[in-house]
Structure formats: structure tokens, C-alpha cells
Amino acid sequence: GEIIDKINWTLSCNFENCSAEKHFNYKSLEIKDMGHQLMMAPAPPPQNDSYRVFQIPVESPAHGSRTLAVGPFDSIASPYGWHDINGQPGEEFTITRGNNVYASEDTSDLDVPGYSPDGGSNLVFDFPYSGGSPTGYLDAAITNLFYMNNVMHDVWYQYGFDEASGNFQENNYGNGGVGGDNVNADAQDGSGTNNANFSTPPEGGNPRMQMYIWSGASTADYLEINAPSTLAGTYLSSLAVFGPPPPVVPITEDIVMVNSGGTEPMDACNTIINSSEVAGKIALVKRGTCTFLVKVENCQNAGALAVIVINNVPTNPITMGGTASNPINIPSVMVGQNDGNTFISALTNNIVVNGSISDQNTSINSTDSDLDNMIIAHEYGHGISIRLTGGANNSGCLGNEDQMGEGWSDWFGLMLTIEPGDLGSDVRGVGTYVQGQPNTGTGIRPAPYSTSFSVNGYTYDATNSSNISRPHGIGFVWCTALWDLTWAFIDEYGFDSDVYNGTGGNNMVMELVIEALKLQPCSPGAVDGRDAILLADQLLNNGVNECLIWKTFATRGLGFNASQGNRDDRFDQIENFNIPLSCTAGIEESDINNTLVVYPNPTEDKITVNSIGGFIKNITILDIDGRQVLENELNSQSNVSIDMSKFEAGIYFVVVDHNNTLSTRKVVKK
């Protein structure tokens, strides 16, 4: 009679704070027996239903304009259209409700379907949108939410997220599975701001998607430094969603670095040791290790008047989220890493830094995540990865420390917003629209997604860092590898803009990832995810892409000898850049007399080649495919420095003619 385990079905996606009680959905979900349903005679669905939306691959209002999508449903995935629920002609819903999703507003946080726009008998959902306050374009927002949920249903159906695999449908039309579980999608949900979430019960229970208004996602000028004169000026900062806003009359005081002990004293994750210095001052802390709420509450308990949090990545400050269990009575803002380090440098040199925090910007525009197709796809993607990992009746397989759920979700959004002409090296941030950033902004992750290491240099070892949050940061590293894999396939097989029935490299990776989600074990780590993709390629393509997959994952540290350690210990991962010898184009490492040293390895720029007890006659560098990329004729030197900074990231072989023999060393360029 005792509860021995509890599983939370809700994934809340406001950066690194995923434990806000008010975002959990503890309400009972009705399990419906739909197994008795039979396939009904095909009836011609309506072809003239139309929706004024941001059609894929358009990501958001910042990325393009709305257009009228006419008859956009897929006849295989949704044979009776998007508004049917019983397969009977003439009995379709005329609101944003159907077999795959029921989209409505929930501005009062009732967790029951609210208002839905009506398209009339002709199913025409063409409503005005001109920006401004989200309350002024509710019909347009719900329509876009309905459209994108249906697109996610129809697209991923083609790759294996179908009835038998536990997809989200009220009526399975006799195609297997349970049914009774279309998505309840809540637009402009009133339970919070600057967030979105998705609750995924086992098959037969309706999932719930909650999309929020992002108010205050933009940065503003809340912080001004008064002294010293060398630092004086206004600094870009972002206000936390918890606690009071800065007052109109500035809080003006000296800024003090906190000391909370531990390996990083400025993280404010423990009781503040120097509370006598912090009391009555503005506390300066670093991002990382613990939640923003813990930091601010510890500073508040030490008597601080306000808190400045320094970002731990070189991007614009982000909005600090979370729902406080205890009252937060002081304002807090985040500043960029460079600005924060400047303050630390001055304080470390005993220079008094005096600042003012006030409401310098009271007109921050609100944005609506219902118009951000990337975020909608991300949330829906949680449902896909949870239903497929461990089977549709098991919703508890992505709760372990090493799981990559946030990574798959980012990847789902990226895949449906690739535009013809895009390149893998492009800067792709997640959530740039709701954050008020330019389209080339960093977004809400530690770095944008890009195959370029100069834009995103993260490898598997980064998951061991406390600066990488769990689960979002760990998922970010996984998606970085998946995004590289996507572009490796596009480079090999081309890009096809038809995401439903295309035959390009992007379509091939979409099929591989869905198949791999079904193959991987419950509670997977990144090595499990990599191995599942390799197995999927064996099953679907006879393993013809095995070496392409190995080379891509190895470049990000998920090579042949990588180890994920304990799946429930997020700090024991070991990266590795090796690939199987069968994939090295006949090139193997060799050094008969153990007299060759090449370091550092991996490298970001230069390597040193040292022949122990002898001289180097010639050095040749080959890429992973055996192509020569560099050759140096040398005059009997024993120690040589080689600049590899202009080389693409990847695996290279350094072949050295020395001591009357040839030696080969494998080098990873990051």
C-alpha cells in the first residue's frame, strides 16, 4: 500500500529550472479504451480547410510572414483531415479541434479546454495578426498552435511515430495502438510566463502542452555603474521573472562579491560566509551549479538589497526563471559574462564599484510562444521521445541524469525549420524570437547550434561541467552531435525540402533518429543513443553509413572508446575521439620504437611533433579519408610546431618520417 516511486510526466522548459511545482500536472488523466475501434470506410476529407499561419519552415514572426495554408493535412497520417474524430463525413469539428490535437486558450490556468476560434463550415481560419499585445491576436495564436501540432503529428508519422508506436490520436482508425490520447494544447496558458511544457502520460492518456507568453524576455538597461569613472555607464541586463521588479527610484549601493565557500565561492549556492559585507549592499554572484532562486534567496538571507548574476557563457544575459517556494523580496538581474568579469576585476583590485538598479525600461514587448514553431516542435518532441523510448506504455524512461530528452526536442524543432540554402555552419539559436534576440542570436542554450567549432565548440566532456545544466545542458550537447550528423548526411546525400516524403540526407537522419528512439534502452545515455543510431542504420540501410556516423560522433567526443559511465551520474562521462579501424581508410596508428610524441591532442590550434632521440625528415598530414592536407620537408629537426588553426574540426593523421622509419599519430582538431 506504500508509494515506492513517482514519475513526473511534465517537462518544464524554462532554461535550467525544471522543478516549479505550479507547472506540474497532477490532475488525473482519463484513460480511454479505444482498442475496439475498427477502420472505417475511407471518406474524402475536405480539401479547402485553410489556416493563416507561419508555415514551416518559417520559424516565427521574426523569420518570415504568415501565409494561407490550404488543405495542409497529410492523407496518410490524417486520412479524415485535421477536424475529424469519428471518421464520419460531415461530422467534423469547426473549431481548432480534431483527432490529433484540441487547441484552445487557458489564460485562467484551469487546465480544461477554453475558447477555440471557429472556422465555420468551410473551415477557414484566417484571423488578423499585426503584433502588439498577445491578447489582441488570440485567434491567430491558437490557429498557429493547432497547425503546428498537426504538422508534427503528420510529419513524424511518415518516419514511424504512428498508431502502433503510441502516437497522439483520439481515434486510431483500426491501425493499432490504444487511442484516446490526442494532445490538449493550451495557448497563452495562465500558469506562468517565459516558459512552455509538455506532460506525457502512458498511451491512452491525453498529453497536455502549455504554451506561455514571454513577458520580459528582452534585455533592458536596469543596471548603471556610477563609480569608478572607468566603468561608469549603463549596462545591458535582464530581469528575473521572480521577485519584485526594480523600483523607479534607484537602489544605489556598493557592489560586493559574495563568498559562499565551496569550489566556486561566488556561485552563492550555500549560506553566504561574508554576510556582514553583503548586508545592505548589491550582491554580485556567478551563474551555475544551483538554480537562480537558490542564489537570490541566499543573498536575501544575507541582507543584500539586490542581486547581480553574471552569465557563465559569452552571450547576452538571459531571463532567470523559476517559481519561488519562499517569498523573494529583492530584485535580481543578470549581466553578460564580459561585463561581469570587468566588475570582478575591479573589485579584486580593491576598487570600489558603486551601482544603481532601477526600472529604466517599462515597455518591454511581450511575445507569444504559440507563434514560435521551434518551441512548439520542441515541446511536442518531448512526447515523441518519451513515447518511443521504452515503449508507449512506459513514461518513465527519460528521467535519469544522463538522458538527452531536451536534445531530441531541440533537434525536432531544427529539422522542421531548415530552409533551402541553409548551411551547417549557420548560427541556429533556439528561442531567439521569444527572447527578443536577432535571428542569429545565441537563444536559450549555452551556444547556438552550428557545425562550426568557432560557433559551437562543445564536445561530450562538457556534460561533466556544473556550468552545463541538467537536463537542458546535457540535451544541448547531444543535439550538437545530432545536428552535426544531420549536416554530414545532407553533405553526403543532399537536402530535400519535402519533409514528408523526401529522399535527402535530412530525411534519412529523421528516419534513423525515430528508429533509434525505439531501439535504445530505458534510461539511456549519449553512448546508448549513438549506438542505437548505428544499429538503426544497420537495420534500415545495411550499415552503409556506419563510418559516416562514427566520424561525426567522434568529432564531438562520442568516439569508439567514449564512456557514459553510470547513467544516473551526470559527472562521470569520458569523451573519446577514436573511430573504429575499419573506418580509417586503411590508415592506422604506428610507432614501432615509441619515439614519437604529438601534443596537445585534441588541439584547437597548434600541435608539437617531437621525435625522441632522433630527427624529423618529413611530416605529412592526412584527413580522415586519407587525403593529404599538409606536407612539410624539414632539415633534421627534432621538435616541430604545426599550425592547424585553419583546419576544419575532425580527425587527422600525422605521418612522420624520422629515425629511418614512418610513424603515424591520430590527432583531433577541435
Side-chain angles (χ1 to χ4, degrees), residues 152-207:
M152 288 293 292
H153 171 276
D154 287 6
V155 167
W156 296 105
Y157 191 100
Q158 318 302 318
Y159 301 93
F161 187 49
D162 53 16
E163 296 94 344
S165 297
N167 74 343
F168 307 127
Q169 292 184 187
E170 198 66 17
N171 188 330
N172 281 2
Y173 302 132
N175 293 328
V178 176
D181 54 3
N182 63 358
V183 176
N184 289 323
D186 297 343
Q188 299 184 9
D189 194 276
S191 62
T193 58
N194 300 346
N195 201 341
N197 61 45
F198 197 92
S199 302
T200 313
E203 188 174 19
N206 293 95

Side-chain angles (χ1 to χ4, degrees), residues 335-351:
V335 297
Q337 186 181 56
N338 291 337
D339 290 339
N341 287 341
T342 301
F343 303 158
I344 291 175
S345 177
L347 292 168
T348 302
N349 288 299
N350 297 318
I351 298 174

Side-chain angles (χ1 to χ4, degrees), residues 258-274 298:
V258 304
N259 182 353
S260 62
T263 57
E264 178 46 77
M266 282 190 66
D267 64 12
C269 292
N270 302 301
T271 301
I272 306 300
I273 296 174
N274 62 333
N298 284 336

Side-chain angles (χ1 to χ4, degrees), residues 278-283 299-307 330:
V278 171
K281 308 295 182 182
I282 298 174
C299 292
Q300 176 176 280
N301 292 339
L305 300 180
V307 178
I330 59 175

Side-chain angles (χ1 to χ4, degrees), residues 17-36:
N17 298 291
C18 291
S19 58
E21 291 287 335
K22 70 183 296 185
H23 294 158
F24 289 175
N25 187 347
Y26 290 118
K27 297 178 174 62
S28 63
L29 297 169
E30 181 182 0
I31 308 296
K32 306 169 187 176
D33 180 12
M34 305 294 283
H36 65 280

Side-chain angles (χ1 to χ4, degrees), residues 42 56 60 83 107 114 127 210 260 266 309 363 468 523-524 622:
I56 60 167
S60 76
H83 295 269
T107 56
F127 304 108
Q210 294 180 309
S260 62
M266 282 190 66
V309 179
S363 59
I468 292 292
S523 302
L622 309 177

Side-chain angles (χ1 to χ4, degrees), residues 460 527 530 557-559 561-566 572-576:
Y460 187 40
V527 172
R530 177 205 67 191
L558 279 164
N561 293 314
S563 172
Q564 66 192 18
N566 186 332
D572 65 347
Q573 289 71 248
I574 299 174
E575 71 178 8
N576 175 264

